[in-house]
Amino acid sequence: MEKGAIINHDQEKAPKTGDWRYMKPEIDAAKCIGCTTCVPHCPEAVMEMKERETQDASGAGSTLRVSSYASIDYEYCKGCGVCAQVCPVKAIVMKK
Ligand code: SF4
Ligand code: SF4
């Protein structure tokens, strides 16, 4: 296998391993800029991007803006902290 390769698990068959976790990553969705950096770095492949609608009141009038943010499936996250390390805006904090 190539160094740094990512293994994609078959999550339908995988046991739920989230309760092995010692530290829990918490995403501040307001800080997340939707860069997607954390998603391919997660060794458990449990991160995905979701979309949200926000009201943009800048300029004339207000418009609905669609942006993306990262989300974690805690049933499988093992709390390794890689996502928090790679996030360029420190939107992920590891908590006990
Ligand atoms: S702590 Fe590790 S396993 Fe959990 S979401 Fe972050 S990178 Fe993935
Ligand atoms: S790396 Fe940080 S800013 Fe980028 S999508 Fe993940 S949580 Fe959001």
Side-chain angles (χ1 to χ4, degrees), residues 27-77:
I27 301 176
D28 182 342
K31 266 192 181 177
C32 174
I33 56 171
C35 69
T36 75
T37 304
C38 54
V39 176
H41 279 87
C42 173
E44 303 301 323
V46 296
M47 301 193 76
E48 64 175 348
M49 300 305 293
K50 292 189 173 173
E51 292 202 329
R52 62 183 162 193
E53 288 183 345
T54 49
Q55 207 75 34
D56 185 359
S58 60
S62 89
T63 52
L64 215 51
R65 197 171 68 92
V66 178
S67 61
S68 58
Y69 66 99
S71 171
I72 296 169
D73 183 344
Y74 288 113
E75 288 194 330
Y76 298 98
C77 163

